[in-house]
Amino acid sequence: MSLPAVVPAPSSIEARPGEPFDLDARVAISGDPDAAAVLVALIRARTGLDASTSSATGGGSDSATGAETGSATGGGSDSATGGIALRVVPGTPESYTIDVGAAGIVIAGADTAGLFYGVQTLGQLIVNTGEGWAVPPVAIVDAPRFAYRGVMLDVARHFHPVDTVRGYIDRAAGLKFNALHLHLTDDQGWRVQLDSRPLLTARGSGSSVGGDPGGFYSKDDYRAIVAYAASRHMILVPEIDMPGHTHAVGLAYPELAAAPVLDEHILEVVRDHGGKPPAAGAPYDGMAVGFSSLRIDTEATYDFVADVFGELAAMTPGPYLHLGGDEAFGTDPADFAAFVERASEIIADLGKTPVAWHEAGAASGLHDSTIGQYWGFVEPTDGMDDKARAFVRNGSRLILSPADAVYLDMKPTPDAALGLTWANGATSVERAYRWEPSDVIAGIADDDILGVEAPMWTETIRDADDLDRMAFPRIAAAAEAAWSPPTGTDDRRTWPSFRTRVGALAPLWTSLGIAFDRSAEIAWVEAP
């Protein structure tokens, strides 16, 4: 039999002999209650069936396979007679196993995150036979390649409400991403309420690109996003971009902002994309970048940095705070280096790990824990790789976000209605897939890579349907780069395999309400 489609590709998947597991309303789900609730909802969305749960934990032999069950670490035993058993058996973080037989299914996670990911994989395994629902007999052993698997959502260029963020979390978690990077501030708006600096939202949150409405998250909203992400085994990585991308700060606290630097590039972007040139004290709704800067020469700026990151650290249980540091063209290079060095120290002193875009690698005095995020191209240009390597030389690691592969806001085709093309033109699904993380920066191997992140900038992205259309199916390619075995080590880590497997997910994505782009590159499977 052919193997079922799973994305991202698991470490190992093998066909079992025998008949499939018939899935109907009588199926009972036992074990971890949180994972059981997720699975019940997933089965209902996929099939319309209402599965039941029980508190039984099972024991003895695994009737799914007729043998002692394999756990996430290869030991233990379980029982899934007539149902689905969900177990936590300690092992490699986030790993899981699945055993499916006619008599039952066992999912064993090394932790609750691994169990959650096993449940998501099971959702992909469910097929409509024409006479009912079934899960084919398979054995899966799976674990992530990289510890950090992120998506970024820019809520500064266009504000996206809490419900939209929750939906994006659900979609990302279903593909085994475990970090949501929120780009909370930019020239167009400040999006998070802080008691220490109330004017940031009072004066700096009202605009978006193109004159669209602005908005911001209250502290309760922010905590709700953090909690919802945690329920899907995702951490939140908040970004306060500085010293550039800070025009909105100047609306609130003009004494902290330098005058906009209007070079020919800025004026060209204004001509190409419309709007007015940025002006001190006036809200900005254009698409130009690199013209703004905090004032580097005043202690008031560093008091501001300490206030903002101090309050944000108290609201953020995850380990990372992102300080931005990209496209600071309006900042003198020496001033830029002095600023990011000091900002990284402030964050580290708060007990958090700083993250910065790769440009900050030009500063020799960054705190040595600072993680670099590379957004250059798959084939680096203009010394971007040298700046990225500096983080590794400093004893830290990199997050890879090559713009011409995993920037989800790039047009998928040249004539697409949404998106931009500055990252080497349109990014097809095939181009989004055909790259290997360990090949991007010479001298950087897996041990130097913390993970992969797929950003979604929102200059042209206004609502949840826009997010779906631009993210899917290319977000699945990023998920496979982050989770699955390296290219060249597995027959499934090829473009022909991926396009077949991702095409088979169309019925699942449709049932989950995902408004994905039916790219002509993919042979989409239609639901019976």
Side-chain angles (χ1 to χ4, degrees):
M1 78 177 242
S2 61
L3 291 171
V6 177
V7 177
S11 303
S12 169
I13 180 169
E14 297 178 358
R16 290 280 199 196
E19 296 300 313
F21 176 79
D22 290 327
L23 187 64
D24 58 34
R26 295 170 295 174
V27 68
I29 301 169
S30 64
D32 182 89
D34 292 336
V38 171
L39 183 54
V40 167
L42 191 55
I43 290 173
R44 182 184 300 118
R46 180 72 183 93
T47 70
L49 300 172
D50 284 312
S52 62
T53 60
S54 73
S55 59
T57 58
S61 65
D62 173 14
S63 60
T65 63
E68 290 295 300
T69 188
S71 73
T73 56
S77 62
D78 218 331
S79 175
T81 304
I84 303 172
L86 308 175
R87 303 289 180 261
V88 174
V89 182
T92 302
E94 300 185 294
S95 66
Y96 69 91
T97 63
I98 299 178
D99 283 289
V100 182
I105 298 172
V106 176
I107 306 177
D111 47 25
T112 55
L115 191 57
F116 177 86
Y117 298 137
V119 165
Q120 298 302 320
T121 295
L122 182 61
Q124 295 185 7
L125 296 176
I126 297 170
V127 295
N128 189 328
T129 66
E131 299 178 354
W133 300 95
V135 180
V138 294
I140 294 175
V141 178
D142 203 7
R145 177 181 179 184
F146 295 118
Y148 182 101
R149 306 175 304 280
V151 292
M152 191 218 75
L153 179 59
D154 168 21
V155 296
R157 272 53 178 273
H158 276 100
F159 180 70
H160 294 274
V162 173
D163 282 349
T164 299
V165 178
R166 287 194 183 108
Y168 206 60
I169 289 169
D170 283 336
R171 285 148 169 71
L175 290 168
K176 303 181 177 70
F177 288 100
N178 65 358
L180 173 66
H181 170 183
L182 274 187
H183 184 78
L184 289 165
T185 66
D186 216 296
D187 294 312
Q188 296 81 3
W190 186 281
R191 306 302 186 199
V192 62
Q193 175 192 14
L194 297 176
D195 295 336
S196 61
R197 299 285 177 160
L199 297 183
L200 290 168
T201 46
R203 297 178 181 174
S205 67
S207 57
S208 290
V209 166
D212 288 349
F216 67 91
Y217 304 119
S218 69
K219 296 186 80 167
D220 285 344
D221 289 337
Y222 184 86
R223 293 186 185 101
I225 293 170
V226 169
Y228 194 81
S231 75
R232 295 332 190 235
H233 300 279
M234 297 181 75
I235 60 169
L236 190 68
V237 182
E239 180 186 355
I240 306 296
D241 203 350
M242 52 179 66
H245 294 265
T246 47
H247 187 80
V249 175
L251 301 182
Y253 300 98
E255 69 277 11
L256 302 179
V261 176
L262 302 184
D263 61 15
E264 180 54 34
H265 172 70
I266 301 299
L267 298 177
E268 180 183 357
V269 173
V270 171
R271 289 192 295 269
D272 289 347
H273 295 283
K276 297 179 180 179
Y284 180 66
D285 62 8
M287 290 170 54
V289 298
F291 60 85
S292 59
S293 180
L294 295 178
R295 287 183 55 193
I296 311 301
D297 59 351
T298 173
E299 280 300 305
T301 292
Y302 302 100
D303 292 340
F304 171 80
V305 173
D307 287 346
V308 167
F309 282 117
E311 192 166 347
L312 201 59
M315 298 161 57
T316 306
Y320 305 113
L321 296 180
H322 203 305
L323 62 91
D326 61 321
E327 298 172 319
F329 308 135
T331 310
D332 175 82
D335 287 345
F336 172 81
F339 177 86
V340 295
E341 288 169 7
R342 194 161 172 186
S344 69
E345 291 282 351
I346 289 170
I347 291 171
D349 286 346
L350 292 167
K352 298 292 187 179
T353 300
V355 185
W357 298 104
H358 70 251
E359 289 98 319
S364 60
L366 278 178
H367 191 275
D368 58 11
S369 68
T370 307
I371 302 293
Q373 184 164 0
Y374 173 80
W375 63 268
F377 298 149
V378 169
E379 295 184 4
T381 60
D382 303 320
M384 292 178 173
D385 49 339
D386 289 334
K387 293 173 183 175
R389 271 190 291 268
F391 292 91
V392 176
R393 289 195 301 268
N394 208 30
S396 191
R397 290 192 286 173
L398 290 172
I399 296 167
L400 295 180
S401 299
D404 53 347
V406 297
Y407 266 36
L408 301 175
D409 56 295
M410 291 297 106
K411 286 179 179 285
T413 60
D415 59 350
L418 299 176
L420 303 173
T421 57
W422 61 261
N424 287 331
T427 299
S428 65
V429 184
E430 182 173 1
R431 192 169 91 180
Y433 188 82
R434 286 188 183 273
W435 70 287
E436 164 55 42
S438 62
D439 291 343
V440 173
I441 299 174
I444 299 299
D446 274 24
D447 288 347
D448 304 315
I449 300 171
L450 180 63
V452 171
E453 181 177 289
M456 175 75 80
W457 303 100
T458 61
E459 288 93 340
T460 69
I461 312 300
R462 289 180 166 86
D463 57 30
D465 281 351
D466 288 351
L467 289 172
D468 275 356
R469 196 169 299 114
M470 293 298 284
F472 286 83
R474 293 179 298 176
I475 192 173
E480 193 142 307
W483 177 280
S484 300
T487 54
T489 65
D490 191 298
D491 290 343
R492 291 160 303 142
R493 282 289 278 121
T494 63
W495 164 245
S497 170
F498 175 78
R499 69 184 297 270
T500 298
R501 286 181 288 113
V502 82
L505 296 184
L508 172 63
W509 287 355
T510 299
S511 67
L512 294 174
I514 299 173
F516 62 96
D517 174 32
R518 288 183 173 270
S519 167
E521 297 175 76
I522 306 299
W524 298 104
V525 171
E526 300 299 332

